[in-house]
Amino acid sequence: MPASVLEGPWDVVHRLADKVIMKTLAISGLLAVTLIWAASPVSAQEVEKPEEPVVTSDYQRDANEPQVVITADEDATFYEYRVNGELREIKVVPKVGPPYYLVPAPDGWVRQDQSQLRIPSWVIFSW
């Protein structure tokens, strides 16, 4: 058919349908290849395990913040609060009963119902 002859409406529809089908098949093929590649197992030789854990935090603990050491016993859990390395108080949380605090005194330890440890904490902004 010469180029100067106009095509019928069905010829245009068939050409557009062929293009749509070809694009659909191409996209489906790419999707299938991608899914197969993504589902392929990674061998143990390809993955390197680091010798030591990698630490990326730049966090520096404030010297004025208390250091808390938690130890558990069969009867209670103990929270040791230290400030600058000095043991300031021990919070005792028994399995049965309310928690209490042991505070050092000149003649041993004194039992308190509330914490005696005071750390400055100011509200800078709230909403």
Side-chain angles (χ1 to χ4, degrees):
M1 199 177 350
S4 61
V5 177
L6 293 175
E7 297 176 342
W10 289 111
D11 293 330
V12 173
V13 169
H14 285 294
R15 274 194 298 129
L16 288 175
D18 288 341
K19 287 183 180 179
V20 169
I21 290 172
M22 291 304 287
K23 285 182 181 179
T24 303
L25 288 174
I27 291 173
S28 299
L30 285 173
L31 181 62
V33 168
T34 303
L35 289 175
I36 291 171
W37 175 75
S40 65
V42 177
S43 68
Q45 296 173 352
E46 294 177 16
V47 178
E48 293 181 20
K49 294 182 181 178
E51 295 291 326
E52 297 179 13
V54 179
V55 179
T56 59
S57 175
D58 291 335
Y59 173 74
Q60 297 293 325
R61 188 177 70 83
D62 187 10
N64 295 329
E65 289 182 7
Q67 179 184 7
V68 182
V69 177
I70 303 171
T71 55
D73 194 355
E74 60 187 36
D75 297 331
T77 303
F78 303 96
Y79 298 83
E80 296 180 1
Y81 293 92
R82 297 178 185 272
V83 178
N84 294 329
E86 180 185 343
L87 182 60
R88 292 291 182 97
E89 70 180 16
I90 301 173
K91 179 180 180 181
V92 181
V93 182
K95 299 277 184 194
V96 178
Y100 59 91
Y101 295 87
L102 296 175
V103 181
D107 56 342
W109 294 88
V110 177
R111 183 176 173 162
Q112 301 282 329
D113 291 333
Q114 294 182 351
S115 174
Q116 301 299 314
L117 191 61
R118 300 289 179 239
I119 297 176
S121 57
W122 296 282
V123 177
I124 296 180
F125 183 75
S126 68
W127 66 90

